[in-house]
Amino acid sequence: MGAGCGLRAAYRFDSASTALQFIVQVGLRCEQDNWHPHLDWRVNTVALRLALHQCEQPGAQDLKLARHISIEASKLESQVTTGR
């Protein structure tokens, strides 16, 4: 996930159903952590942004969630694409 006013990443999957599976996995984790990422789903591509308050540096919890998201995407054999 990249820098900016939040952490961003986009992932391309082999199919729309795999992209949706990823969204569900990320959504369940985010709900558990009381986090609400911005998400854009386009057929087999999912772009995510974890917004940070006041454009501050990401904290340990932010980075932990970003790592979890990246690991889940990797398990589903995604390709990282350039973010929006």
Side-chain angles (χ1 to χ4, degrees):
M1 299 195 122
C5 199
L7 301 171
R8 299 172 186 264
Y11 304 97
R12 182 177 300 124
F13 299 91
D14 288 338
S15 68
S17 62
T18 304
L20 186 55
Q21 181 181 353
F22 172 70
I23 292 168
V24 169
Q25 290 173 348
V26 169
L28 290 170
R29 176 61 182 263
C30 289
E31 185 69 21
Q32 177 185 9
D33 292 351
N34 196 28
W35 198 271
H36 304 97
H38 300 256
L39 180 135
D40 182 27
W41 174 32
R42 306 288 172 110
V43 186
N44 65 340
T45 302
V46 179
L48 294 165
R49 180 172 66 90
L50 302 177
L52 301 176
H53 302 293
Q54 307 292 323
C55 292
E56 61 196 19
Q57 292 294 318
Q61 288 299 97
D62 304 314
L63 296 174
K64 183 177 178 181
L65 179 57
R67 268 190 238 97
H68 173 78
I69 290 169
S70 294
I71 288 167
E72 291 303 317
S74 177
K75 286 179 187 176
L76 295 171
E77 300 180 2
S78 70
Q79 295 176 353
V80 177
T81 65
T82 51
R84 295 192 202 314

